[in-house]
Amino acid sequence: MIYHHIALNVPLGLLTYSYPQAIPAGTRVAVPFRGREAVGVVWETDVKPEIAPAKILPVKQVFGQEPPLPEDWRALLDFVSRYYLYPIGQAVFAALPQGMREARAVTLPQPPHFYGLSEEGRMQAPPPVRFSKQHALWQALAAGHQEEACLKAIHPQAGKLLQQWRQAGWLDESEAAAPQIAASQHLLNDGQQAAADTLQTGLSSFQTFLLYGITGSGKTEVYFDAMAKVLAQGRQVLFLLPEINLTPQLLKRVNERFGQVPTAVLHSQTAAGRRTQDYLRAMTGQAKLVIGTRLAVFTPLPDLALIVVDEEHDASFKQDNELRYHARDLAVWRGKQSACPVVLGSATPSLESWHKAQSGGYRLLELTQRARRAARPPQVEILDVRRQQLDNGFSQQALKLIQENHQNGGLTLVYLNRRGFAPALFCGDCGHIFGCPRCSAKMVLHQRVRQLRCHHCDFRQAIPRKCPDCGNQDLTAVGHGTQRVEETLKSFLPQATVVRVDRDSTARKNDWERLYRDIADNRIDVLVGTQMLAKGHDFARLNLVVVLNADGSLYSADFRAPEKLFAELMQVAGRAGRADAAGRVLIQTQLPEHPVFAAVQAQDYPAFAAHELAERKMFGMPPFGFQAAVRADAVAIGQAQDFLAGIKAEVENRLPPEVSLLGPVPMFMMRLAERERAQVFLESPSRKQLHRAAALWLYLLQGRRDAAVRWSIDVDPLEM
């Protein structure tokens, strides 16, 4: 028998199994585990067993018809497991699509077929122009070899016609072809061209570029220029986005430019079967362009030549449970592993990336002008509303601007980072506020469905008829959510079409496509939106942005709060005036003296970053120091804190002197889903020493058995 180390989806290390022959590393197998059949991935072959051979169970089935997961992919997961202090087996299965996590064989995607006109075919007359789709299909074949899927997009009956023309000898057929890349419809301006030229010089080796461009400066066209060069060579590109809702608009642009390139789209709303097939298409080299959200960073790509991370600053790239990885950081690691360039793009780069660009770790490329010559950065006004009487959150100035913009035919975005009808339901008699019974959070009133909802654990209940403390039936909605703002605007502008855009209104598959179509057809006058509308979207008619309650996040204990708010406001302000119409932004605030608002008004990211980095350096905060959080949750906060305090007492005198411990303290959101949470922070100016300390915590945590307490370690945490 030959012994193998196999990774299973369990919180353990590699397990040993036997098989009569050597199984190639990376092969999926089915094995017995605690009385059931489990799927595993062979990690090492022909190993020396550390336990008695009689106790080693045999592999039950080898899925040998599937190509093994490649060596560089396994090296990536080895690194992820070590860096994020997460069990190797669970890390491996977090990186696999659903179809490959099951103990059964997967259906392999068939190689694509490419068709083009043969010599004899070029001598034939094309179909008459009056048969427009047949004529377009013939013209596409005449232009070069095309994938069958692309030809079917031109003509629904392409399969039948291709069969007829092939039998007539008019077509050549192959399983590989250099994709045809359409020429760009956009003429790059001087700044874009300079950035594109610099990228061209770096396409053959690893280098990280930070593409800092003001909103509307045309970063996407710079990405596309580099992607076109790589894809024309038949090599692979990985394009990462922070949000699913950015995908439809991007895919439309991708299809216009790269419609002939085999593409895989990977995100959480892709059907499981389709996602598995696209994953395998990428792994076998069939898909040349892979577009996806954070999980797509784990896609095996045998010929990876370029990685693009759009909106690199976005916190959505950080997974906040189970395997707590950061996709942007792993993208840079993969670029180094594959010896290919990585492009990080943003109008408001993370301070970590900006610091690396300023200190020479990344190469900085800047776009300081908007791509459209007529477009100018928006005019930003900060409005002090401390002494103003507001109408459901609106100042009179804001309502007047919205009314005037509607009369002039403009599109307005009213931005409020809170969905629902109102933040809280309140009893005016006794002061009772309806909180979530499972979390330390207020329930949010959703008037349309007559519910109170928790936006943290999704607990829901019907709106109560009376206060549970005093019996008062006159309950008051306090604060302003998107539903309430929408109703206020519909009353104020009954002749306007007001559309709310948040997670409640865009839950169905085709909601975003319909929204884009309605905006393009000028069927919407006012958009009411949350963060989903703040980034990446390009609505040419949008020329007014009104921001309500802009300073709510500044009351947070999170040291990143000013950075997050600045990015949020700059991104949402950047939606205005992207075409010919001048843009205007009105930001209402009760903290007008805060430096973040002056920076937003000046539209000066470098000055804001310099100020924030100086403060971070003074206190040794990231990027000048490194952090890890050890968290525990239990039914009662005392249990969680005592658990952490006990390990802290064991570890304190064994830590490197460069590492400091803070806590245990309750988390900012202390109660979540009926569990109460505490944490200890580890901080150090040395990443190496921080990891040594975190690994020691992990060792002691694994040896401490307490069924009442769950624990986790978060390296480079973003959650406080």
Side-chain angles (χ1 to χ4, degrees):
M1 300 297 284
I2 295 175
Y3 301 99
H4 304 77
H5 282 165
I6 295 177
L8 272 65
N9 191 14
V10 293
L12 303 168
L14 299 171
L15 302 180
T16 305
Y17 288 86
S18 64
Y19 198 69
Q21 294 91 35
I23 307 171
T27 303
R28 290 195 322 121
V29 294
V31 298
F33 180 76
R34 292 184 178 174
R36 61 181 177 87
E37 188 171 275
V39 66
V41 176
V42 176
W43 218 247
E44 294 178 75
T45 300
D46 198 12
V47 301
K48 185 176 181 180
E50 297 178 357
I51 59 175
K55 295 182 178 180
I56 297 176
L57 297 175
V59 171
K60 294 184 69 174
Q61 186 177 1
V62 177
F63 301 114
Q65 79 285 4
E66 301 172 16
L69 290 153
E71 183 179 356
D72 62 346
W73 184 87
R74 300 195 307 275
L76 169 67
L77 270 299
D78 269 329
F79 167 76
V80 166
S81 174
R82 293 194 312 273
Y83 185 83
Y84 292 106
L85 301 171
Y86 199 71
I88 180 64
Q90 289 182 306
V92 166
F93 280 82
L96 289 173
Q98 184 60 41
M100 298 180 75
R101 299 181 201 173
E102 298 169 356
R104 54 190 175 93
V106 296
T107 302
L108 296 177
Q110 294 301 310
H113 288 274
F114 294 85
Y115 296 93
L117 292 183
S118 65
E119 289 297 324
E120 186 177 345
R122 293 184 182 280
M123 297 170 61
Q124 308 301 315
V129 176
R130 68 177 182 275
F131 300 116
S132 58
K133 289 185 178 179
Q134 282 193 33
H135 186 81
L137 182 64
W138 188 275
Q139 295 298 328
L141 292 165
H145 280 69
Q146 315 286 342
E147 189 182 358
E148 186 174 2
C150 298
L151 295 170
K152 287 181 178 178
I154 298 172
H155 195 313
Q157 301 298 317
K160 183 179 178 181
L161 289 167
L162 291 172
Q163 185 178 3
Q164 293 174 1
W165 294 344
R166 187 175 64 244
Q167 289 174 350
W170 297 346
L171 298 182
D172 285 331
E173 181 181 357
S174 66
E175 289 189 356
Q180 304 294 312
I181 309 295
S184 175
Q185 300 300 308
H186 299 270
L187 182 65
L188 301 184
N189 62 28
D190 291 344
Q192 289 173 304
Q193 191 63 58
D197 290 345
T198 303
L199 280 177
Q200 299 305 319
T201 65
L203 286 179
S204 59
S205 61
F206 168 66
Q207 189 171 5
T208 303
F209 296 91
L210 177 61
L211 180 60
Y212 159 59
I214 65 170
T215 52
S217 59
K219 293 183 288 295
T220 303
E221 285 304 317
V222 177
Y223 303 151
F224 280 10
D225 187 77
M227 290 162 58
K229 301 293 189 300
V230 169
L231 293 169
Q233 298 168 5
R235 304 194 68 191
Q236 291 179 298
V237 173
L238 175 61
F239 195 121
L240 296 179
L241 291 163
E243 299 275 1
I244 296 168
N245 59 298
L246 297 181
T247 309
Q249 199 172 34
L250 176 75
L251 284 181
K252 182 180 178 184
R253 295 180 67 177
V254 167
N255 193 52
E256 291 170 356
R257 185 78 188 275
F258 305 112
Q260 308 303 320
V261 177
T263 300
V265 179
L266 300 169
H267 56 69
S268 60
Q269 290 188 2
T270 307
R274 171 67 183 275
R275 185 167 186 163
T276 300
Q277 287 296 297
D278 275 355
Y279 191 93
L280 290 166
R281 287 175 59 232
M283 187 173 100
T284 55
Q286 295 176 26
K288 300 301 182 184
L289 174 57
V290 175
I291 300 173
T293 48
R294 61 176 176 254
L295 195 56
V297 76
F298 293 115
T299 310
L301 296 161
D303 200 13
L304 181 59
L306 175 66
I307 302 175
V308 176
V309 184
D310 193 26
E311 307 290 359
E312 67 86 29
H313 68 279
D314 200 290
S316 299
F317 283 121
K318 171 74 171 178
Q319 174 74 18
D320 60 5
N321 56 33
E322 297 179 346
L323 175 57
R324 294 166 170 81
Y325 66 94
H326 201 303
R328 177 200 63 213
D329 298 344
L330 290 183
V332 174
W333 194 92
R334 286 199 72 176
K336 185 174 183 179
Q337 180 194 44
S338 301
C340 76
V342 180
V343 183
L344 312 178
S346 178
T348 54
S350 65
L351 291 181
E352 287 83 357
S353 294
W354 184 257
H355 175 64
K356 285 186 178 179
Q358 296 297 309
S359 58
Y362 295 166
R363 186 165 181 181
L364 181 63
L365 306 175
E366 297 188 67
L367 302 177
T368 57
Q369 295 180 329
R370 288 200 155 181
R372 293 189 177 100
R373 291 186 182 277
R376 296 289 181 272
Q379 174 189 342
V380 179
E381 180 180 351
I382 308 298
L383 180 63
D384 182 356
V385 295
R386 284 176 294 191
R387 293 179 177 83
Q388 295 201 25
Q389 188 171 358
L390 303 180
D391 181 0
N392 280 332
F394 288 95
S395 65
Q396 290 304 307
Q397 183 176 342
L399 290 172
K400 183 180 178 182
L401 282 175
I402 295 169
Q403 185 178 48
E404 290 175 351
N405 198 46
H406 172 59
Q407 291 170 350
N408 295 331
L411 174 64
T412 299
L413 167 61
V414 176
Y415 179 75
L416 178 69
N417 192 20
R418 184 179 295 276
R419 73 187 198 270
F421 184 79
L425 193 64
F426 171 76
C427 174
D429 282 4
C430 71
H432 177 85
I433 294 180
F434 290 83
C436 175
R438 304 169 63 190
C439 303
S440 52
K442 299 179 182 68
M443 298 283 280
V444 177
L445 173 62
H446 286 250
Q447 188 73 26
R448 298 268 175 86
V449 292
R450 304 290 300 164
Q451 281 184 340
L452 294 177
R453 293 182 185 173
C454 175
H455 285 182
H456 297 277
C457 72
D458 204 33
F459 177 82
R460 304 180 182 200
Q461 69 180 58
I463 296 175
R465 297 179 181 275
K466 60 183 181 180
C467 173
D469 288 351
C470 69
N472 174 32
Q473 297 184 11
D474 187 16
L475 303 176
T476 306
V478 182
H480 313 285
T482 49
Q483 290 180 19
R484 193 170 198 174
V485 168
E486 177 191 17
E487 291 187 7
T488 300
L489 288 171
K490 284 182 174 178
S491 299
F492 179 69
L493 289 174
Q495 70 278 26
T497 302
V498 180
V499 174
R500 174 172 52 87
V501 182
D502 56 24
R503 295 196 187 280
D504 300 321
S505 66
T506 57
R508 294 187 297 268
K509 182 179 178 181
N510 297 319
D511 286 343
W512 278 103
E513 291 180 20
R514 185 174 64 252
L515 176 70
Y516 290 132
R517 188 167 56 249
D518 289 347
I519 292 172
D521 294 341
N522 296 337
R523 291 201 290 263
I524 297 176
D525 301 307
V526 182
L527 291 165
V528 176
T530 59
Q531 279 189 2
M532 302 176 80
L533 277 178
K535 52 203 171 191
H537 305 289
D538 192 348
F539 305 133
R541 198 170 124 253
L542 178 59
N543 59 341
L544 174 63
V545 173
V546 174
V547 181
L548 307 182
N549 191 27
D551 37 48
S553 62
L554 290 176
Y555 296 103
S556 167
D558 184 0
F559 71 89
R560 289 188 174 89
E563 178 187 4
K564 292 176 182 176
L565 179 60
F566 178 82
E568 184 182 323
L569 294 178
M570 287 288 284
Q571 292 284 340
V572 74
R575 300 312 106 205
R578 296 170 74 92
D580 297 336
R584 186 169 181 183
V585 180
L586 179 69
I587 299 174
Q588 296 185 174
T589 175
Q590 296 189 12
L591 298 171
E593 298 89 359
H594 197 286
V596 73
F597 294 114
V600 171
Q601 189 167 30
Q603 301 275 288
D604 191 345
Y605 172 80
F608 170 79
H611 176 269
E612 286 294 306
L613 285 170
E615 284 199 351
R616 299 269 187 98
K617 187 174 184 179
M618 188 185 309
F619 295 104
M621 305 299 285
F624 302 99
F626 305 99
Q627 295 180 327
V630 181
R631 300 193 174 111
D633 64 78
V635 173
I637 188 65
Q639 289 176 286
Q641 286 185 289
D642 289 347
F643 176 83
L644 293 174
I647 297 179
K648 180 183 177 183
E650 285 187 58
V651 80
E652 237 171 341
N653 296 326
R654 300 163 63 182
L655 293 179
E658 301 95 329
V659 178
S660 58
L661 286 178
L662 305 171
V665 294
M667 291 185 64
F668 180 68
M669 172 63 66
M670 184 189 77
R671 184 172 172 82
L672 180 67
E674 298 183 326
R675 306 279 292 184
E676 296 190 343
R677 309 186 298 167
Q679 62 187 347
V680 169
F681 270 99
L682 285 70
E683 296 184 347
S684 176
S686 164
R687 192 187 294 276
K688 182 178 180 180
Q689 297 302 332
L690 179 80
H691 263 79
R692 284 184 60 192
L696 178 57
W697 269 87
L698 177 64
Y699 174 76
L700 294 173
L701 286 164
Q702 289 173 331
R704 182 72 64 94
R705 297 187 180 276
D706 188 336
V709 180
R710 301 182 306 206
W711 56 265
S712 63
I713 296 179
D714 189 357
V715 179
D716 303 330
L718 294 185
E719 185 185 12
M720 292 293 106

